[in-house]
Amino acid sequence: MPLKAVILIGGPQKGTRFRPLSFEVPKPLFPVAGVPMVQHHIEACAKVPGMKEILLMGFYQPHEALSRFLVSAQQEFKIPIRYLQEYAALGTGGGIYHFRDQILSGGAEAFFVLNADVCSEFPLQEMLEFWQRHGDAQSFVILGTTANRTQALNYGCIVANVDTQEVQHYVEKPSTFVSEIINCGIYLFTPAIFQHIGEVFQRNQQELVLCPYLGEESSNGWQRAEVIRLEQDVFTALAGSGKLYVYKTDGFWSQIKSAGSAIYASRLYLNQYSKSHPERLAQNKPGGPIIQGNVYIHPTASIDSTAVLGPNVSIGEGVTVGAGVRVRESIVLHGASLHDHTCVLNTIVGWDSTIGRWARVEGTPSDPNPNDPYAKIDSETLFRDGRLTPSITILGCSVTIPAEVVILNSIVLPHKELSRSYKNQIIL
């Protein structure tokens, strides 16, 4: 059956928790486990039989990096991939409603919608088979997973019939406990969804006519009516109607909201590579660096044979790693240089940054509780009790760290040349 996929990539006002890394590259193109974040989504979509086209949707201005990525992804995955630019942030439902003609062109019988800021095994084929068993042309599927009771409050919560998996109740970020099954931000829709989104659009327009002052904060009322959130506006109304189902996955899943969660997502994808892409994982070889656990090294990187890398390390294009360097639980982006005997732990090293000899750059991991199988990563606030929350260390692009200093739990904005050690600071 003909299928399409829509990947919601947001825009420049979004991804603020991802700064300073999102200053240099749109967040969906940030490398996770060696490839752009959104490439994992595209790869999963391209594997589904019958996939005719993949549409990226967001409100980034046409961007050279984005255009280059689309061209290379089309060549690699042999499938048409296009970017549809919203004229403003229209919400998760407003964008697909605005471009409904593009989605429906070519006679797609069903289409996936995926949020770009999640990492997952993407069980799309399983969702499709589940829909074929349970649903019909009028019904839709949400991918769900299990969270623990306290963290479930941070997500959309789903109450479903145990036997049929029909969604009976849906609440986005409830104030009290509703369910341990949470929304993964991955959906399977049929063209019938547009009727339900259209009803929300009509209702928004009527409210604007009755209360015109509601539209004053946007440039025009039309724009305000088109802002539609799938979760609060559509799913809440569809729950209990017999048209919405949840497919529960036991595979890995995490949000990528903050830079710290990118290191955790990288670990999940590197673990998956042992099955899906063993060629992407570095091996211990005579004369090569010492590899511990899962490590991705770009072919153009130059790494000294006495360096020790891993577990969970991703080394980007053109990176130089000197003698005796130790890197663990970190992402090193293209063009960075780690001089001899540096130690880099729980850190993202920005593009073209330099770390001097014998320097130590270290962060605090923000991993979920390893003893709780249903724990998710907490989206930490930047400050707690007036202090910077200890988290991973981030060096923006073109940062220079001198020799023999310690940088601990700090965020360094781009183009900074440091002269001393720092601890628990944002260096502007």
Side-chain angles (χ1 to χ4, degrees):
M1 69 187 280
L3 299 168
K4 286 196 183 184
V6 177
I7 303 171
L8 306 174
I9 65 171
Q13 295 103 296
K14 305 291 180 190
T16 51
R17 281 179 279 181
F18 215 70
R19 292 173 183 166
L21 302 167
S22 52
F23 288 149
E24 305 307 315
V25 65
K27 180 180 163 184
L29 297 185
F30 182 81
V32 175
V35 300
M37 192 190 294
V38 75
Q39 184 170 320
H40 296 285
H41 300 61
I42 291 171
E43 192 174 322
C45 293
K47 282 180 182 164
V48 180
M51 187 62 67
K52 296 288 180 256
E53 185 177 40
I54 298 171
L55 302 170
L56 272 60
M57 204 174 284
F59 49 101
Y60 286 100
Q61 293 296 323
H63 198 284
E64 190 188 339
L66 193 57
S67 305
R68 266 202 317 269
F69 169 72
L70 291 178
V71 169
S72 68
Q74 284 195 86
Q75 291 168 346
E76 183 174 348
F77 298 108
K78 311 283 188 291
I79 191 166
I81 305 172
R82 288 189 295 141
Y83 173 53
L84 302 176
Q85 186 191 346
E86 300 168 21
Y87 63 90
L90 298 177
T92 47
I96 62 172
Y97 187 66
H98 184 74
F99 288 114
R100 59 194 179 279
D101 293 344
Q102 301 272 4
I103 295 169
L104 297 176
S105 69
E109 289 180 35
F111 61 98
F112 291 97
V113 173
L114 305 90
N115 282 289
D117 61 356
V118 298
C119 87
S120 170
E121 273 182 297
F122 299 112
L124 305 182
Q125 184 63 37
E126 292 88 333
M127 284 175 76
L128 189 61
E129 289 164 5
F130 172 87
W131 172 74
Q132 287 165 339
R133 285 196 308 273
H134 286 77
D136 54 36
Q138 301 299 314
S139 59
F140 322 109
V141 181
I142 301 177
L143 183 68
T145 190
T146 308
N148 63 34
R149 288 179 74 95
T150 50
Q151 289 181 317
L153 304 178
N154 301 324
Y155 300 91
C157 293
I158 300 165
V159 179
N161 180 307
V162 180
D163 301 320
T164 63
Q165 301 306 320
E166 183 206 320
V167 176
Q168 295 168 324
H169 190 48
Y170 182 91
V171 189
E172 186 68 22
K173 298 191 174 107
S175 51
T176 56
F177 178 75
V178 171
S179 166
E180 290 170 347
I181 306 301
I182 61 167
N183 173 4
C184 291
I186 299 168
Y187 316 120
L188 176 58
F189 293 145
T190 63
I193 193 71
F194 292 121
Q195 181 194 336
H196 299 286
I197 302 176
E199 287 166 8
V200 176
F201 178 61
Q202 301 286 327
R203 197 163 61 241
N204 287 356
Q205 275 192 314
Q206 284 165 358
E207 283 174 9
L208 280 173
V209 172
L210 296 171
C211 310
Y213 62 88
L214 280 174
E216 285 171 14
E217 61 199 67
S218 64
S219 58
N220 55 27
W222 170 262
Q223 177 176 330
R224 181 64 189 251
E226 269 211 303
V227 176
I228 297 166
R229 303 159 304 178
L230 272 178
E231 298 78 13
Q232 293 97 318
D233 299 333
V234 181
F235 293 164
T236 309
L238 276 176
S241 67
K243 292 178 178 164
L244 195 58
Y245 291 85
V246 59
Y247 173 73
K248 284 186 273 197
T249 177
D250 295 323
F252 71 82
W253 179 85
S254 180
Q255 281 186 317
I256 311 178
K257 292 290 185 194
S258 63
S261 53
I263 291 184
Y264 178 61
S266 191
R267 184 188 318 153
L268 297 176
Y269 279 135
L270 287 171
N271 286 343
Q272 190 192 27
Y273 282 174
S274 56
K275 296 194 289 285
S276 63
H277 286 286
E279 76 286 353
R280 285 186 190 167
L281 292 176
Q283 308 295 331
N284 280 301
K285 292 181 186 147
I290 299 160
I291 305 295
Q292 300 180 347
N294 293 327
V295 174
Y296 167 84
I297 300 174
H298 194 278
T300 59
S302 165
I303 300 184
D304 191 274
S305 61
T306 58
V308 182
L309 308 179
N312 184 22
V313 168
S314 179
I315 303 284
E317 188 180 339
V319 168
T320 309
V321 177
V325 168
R326 179 72 178 101
V327 186
R328 189 179 78 211
E329 296 284 341
S330 296
I331 296 173
V332 183
L333 297 165
H334 73 73
S337 179
L338 313 186
H339 292 183
D340 296 357
H341 307 291
T342 57
C343 181
V344 177
L345 313 173
N346 301 300
T347 294
I348 296 179
V349 179
W351 300 269
D352 299 315
S353 288
T354 304
I355 301 179
R357 295 162 61 94
W358 294 103
R360 182 181 183 93
V361 181
E362 184 175 358
T364 301
S366 49
D367 289 2
N369 178 357
N371 300 317
D372 179 353
Y374 300 125
K376 301 286 177 264
I377 200 157
D378 279 318
S379 54
E380 280 285 352
T381 51
L382 205 51
F383 295 94
R384 196 192 299 135
D385 303 328
R387 293 182 175 178
L388 187 65
T389 311
S391 67
I392 69 148
T393 288
I394 304 168
L395 308 183
C397 80
S398 303
V399 166
T400 305
I401 307 287
E404 300 181 22
V405 301
V406 177
I407 307 296
L408 186 64
N409 299 339
S410 294
I411 297 172
V412 186
L413 266 69
H415 308 289
K416 292 282 168 281
E417 196 164 322
L418 304 190
S419 55
R420 61 177 179 87
S421 296
Y422 287 89
K423 178 183 176 185
N424 299 331
Q425 289 194 43
I426 298 177
I427 299 151
L428 303 170

